[in-house]
């Protein structure tokens, strides 16, 4: 009976692993195809039927992708796109972490009239789809004279976001109030309690907010497309479309090489921070 149960458990595990392996392979196919195409010659990247193994291997596609269109524009646009993206990432991550932490602390640890009502109204804003807000937001920024600048892409991050506020509030509520009371007995005011006691304990949750914001900014295509006008202001996600020629065809091998360069930092970052990221997600999901 015991032996039969062990065989059944083993068979169940084998089936689960087989299904997970197949699903992983399916999800990895686009990435593998991107890597394969980035190493092909221009002719081989469009050959039919397609081939997976490049012959010869074109490592020079990567330096070419960096310098693509440089003769026409007079500079290396890819590095300009990278600089613009890094600038926006620094501003949005800084703004999102600071503003969301302060607002979430207020909702989780302070008592003030109408707190729950305001919190519910904040959550309700998540129900409004972005296309509904796109036109009035554009009109607002246009009246401010911000169109053609980076301001529409990072200023909003300094005013908090409903999802991140909810995420941090759940984590802050899981921290014992006795810690705050002990800090106040030791002479800390509210700001010192937040900054010196609560905030250091919230590193996993803050890392989640920072990583979500970073990925959102790094991959954002619609925002830069709406608000930016000059090629010297383009971000990486928007700059990739410059590899699509309107007349002479697209160099898919250079496009894939540039795309691989763009996604690699995100993959590496997630690889090194996944433990902290999962820890933050688990903590905010279990406490509340």
């Amino acid at each position: 009976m015991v032996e039969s149960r062990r065989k059944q458990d083993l068979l169940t595990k084998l089936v689960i692993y087989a299904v997970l392996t197949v699903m992983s392979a399916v999800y990895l196919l686009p990435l593998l195809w991107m890597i394969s195409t980035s190493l092909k010659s221009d002719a081989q990247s469009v050959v039919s039927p397609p081939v997976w193994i490049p012959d010869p291997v074109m490592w020079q596609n990567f330096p070419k992708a960096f310098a693509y269109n440089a003769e026409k524009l007079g500079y290396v646009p890819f590095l300009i796109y990278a600089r613009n993206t890094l600038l926006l990432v620094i501003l949005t991550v800084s703004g999102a972490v600071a503003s969301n932490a302060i607002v979430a602390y207020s909702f989780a640890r302070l008592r003030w009239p109408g707190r729950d009502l305001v919190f519910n109204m904040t959550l309700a804003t998540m129900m409004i789809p972005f296309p509904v807000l796109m036109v009035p937001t554009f009109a607002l920024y246009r009246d401010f004279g911000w169109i053609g600048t980076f301001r529409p892409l990072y200023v909003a991050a300094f005013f908090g976001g409903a999802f991140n506020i909810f995420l941090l509030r759940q984590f802050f509520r899981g921290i014992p109030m006795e810690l705050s009371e002990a800090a106040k007995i030791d002479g800390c005011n509210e700001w010192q309690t937040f900054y010196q006691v609560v905030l250091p304990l919230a590193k996993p949750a803050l890392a989640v907010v920072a990583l979500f914001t970073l990925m959102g900014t790094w991959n954002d295509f619609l925002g830069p497309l709406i608000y930016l006008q000059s090629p010297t202001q383009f971000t990486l996600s928007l700059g990739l479309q410059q590899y699509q020629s309107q007349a002479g065809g697209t160099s898919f091998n250079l496009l894939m090489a540039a795309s691989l360069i763009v996604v690699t930092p995100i993959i590496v970052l997630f690889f090194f921070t996944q433990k902290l990221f999962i820890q933050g997600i688990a903590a905010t999901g279990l406490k509340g």
Side-chain angles (χ1 to χ4, degrees):
M1 184 65 180
V2 175
E3 188 66 23
S4 176
R5 177 62 63 89
R6 286 180 179 174
K7 289 182 179 179
Q8 186 175 0
D9 292 343
L10 179 61
L11 181 61
T12 302
K13 287 182 180 179
L14 288 176
V15 171
I16 292 174
Y17 288 145
V19 171
L20 292 177
T21 303
V22 171
M23 291 179 64
S24 301
V26 170
Y27 280 104
L28 283 175
L29 274 178
L31 179 63
L32 296 176
W33 181 252
M34 181 169 63
I35 296 173
S36 172
T37 305
S38 68
L39 296 173
K40 295 176 181 175
S41 64
D42 195 25
Q44 198 176 30
S45 64
V46 293
V47 70
S48 181
V51 294
W52 278 92
I53 307 299
D55 184 22
V57 178
M58 305 290 289
W59 294 105
Q60 58 268 37
N61 285 341
F62 291 95
K64 279 185 180 178
F66 268 107
Y68 186 73
N69 219 14
E71 298 82 4
K72 179 181 178 181
L73 298 179
Y75 57 84
V76 182
F78 196 90
L79 296 179
I80 301 294
Y81 304 152
R83 183 203 63 183
N84 296 337
T85 304
L86 286 175
L87 176 64
L88 286 175
V89 163
I90 292 172
L91 290 171
T92 55
V93 170
S94 303
V97 170
S99 61
N100 288 310
I102 293 173
V103 176
Y105 181 84
S106 173
F107 282 134
R109 315 282 292 189
L110 304 182
R111 294 189 179 277
W112 43 277
R115 182 191 65 174
D116 294 339
L117 176 62
V118 175
F119 178 68
N120 291 332
M121 291 174 63
T122 302
L123 289 186
T125 60
M126 288 195 294
M127 307 299 174
I128 305 174
F130 177 71
V132 176
L133 301 174
M134 188 166 58
V135 174
T137 304
F138 180 86
L140 179 66
Y141 290 147
R142 181 197 57 198
D143 293 341
F144 287 166
W146 289 359
I147 304 301
T149 71
F150 290 135
R151 291 173 188 167
L153 301 175
Y154 73 84
V155 169
F158 287 84
F159 293 90
F163 177 76
N164 290 332
I165 291 172
F166 171 75
L167 198 70
L168 290 174
R169 174 183 176 270
Q170 296 300 99
F171 191 91
F172 289 155
R173 291 185 64 183
I175 298 175
M177 289 298 294
E178 288 78 7
L179 290 176
S180 298
E181 294 169 359
K184 290 174 183 175
I185 292 174
D186 290 340
C188 292
N189 56 32
E190 200 64 56
W191 172 256
Q192 290 171 326
T193 303
F194 164 70
Y195 186 74
Q196 298 178 1
V197 177
V198 176
L199 213 54
L201 297 174
K203 286 181 181 177
L206 295 175
V208 172
V209 172
L211 193 58
F212 277 157
T213 306
L214 186 152
M215 292 175 63
T217 305
W218 192 273
N219 297 322
D220 185 21
F221 176 80
L222 188 57
L225 179 66
I226 294 173
Y227 296 117
L228 301 181
Q229 297 177 334
S230 170
T232 58
Q233 297 176 320
F234 287 175
T235 57
L236 286 170
S237 58
L238 186 58
L240 286 179
Q241 72 166 357
Q242 301 300 308
Y243 290 80
Q244 297 179 338
S245 172
Q246 299 297 321
T250 300
S251 298
F252 289 102
N253 53 343
L254 298 184
L255 176 61
M256 291 298 107
S259 300
L260 187 60
I261 295 171
V262 171
V263 302
T264 298
I266 297 296
I267 295 174
V268 172
L269 180 66
F270 182 78
F271 179 79
F272 283 106
T273 60
Q274 60 176 325
K275 184 177 180 180
L276 188 63
F277 179 74
I278 294 172
Q279 183 183 355
I281 289 289
T284 52
L286 293 175
K287 297 175 181 177

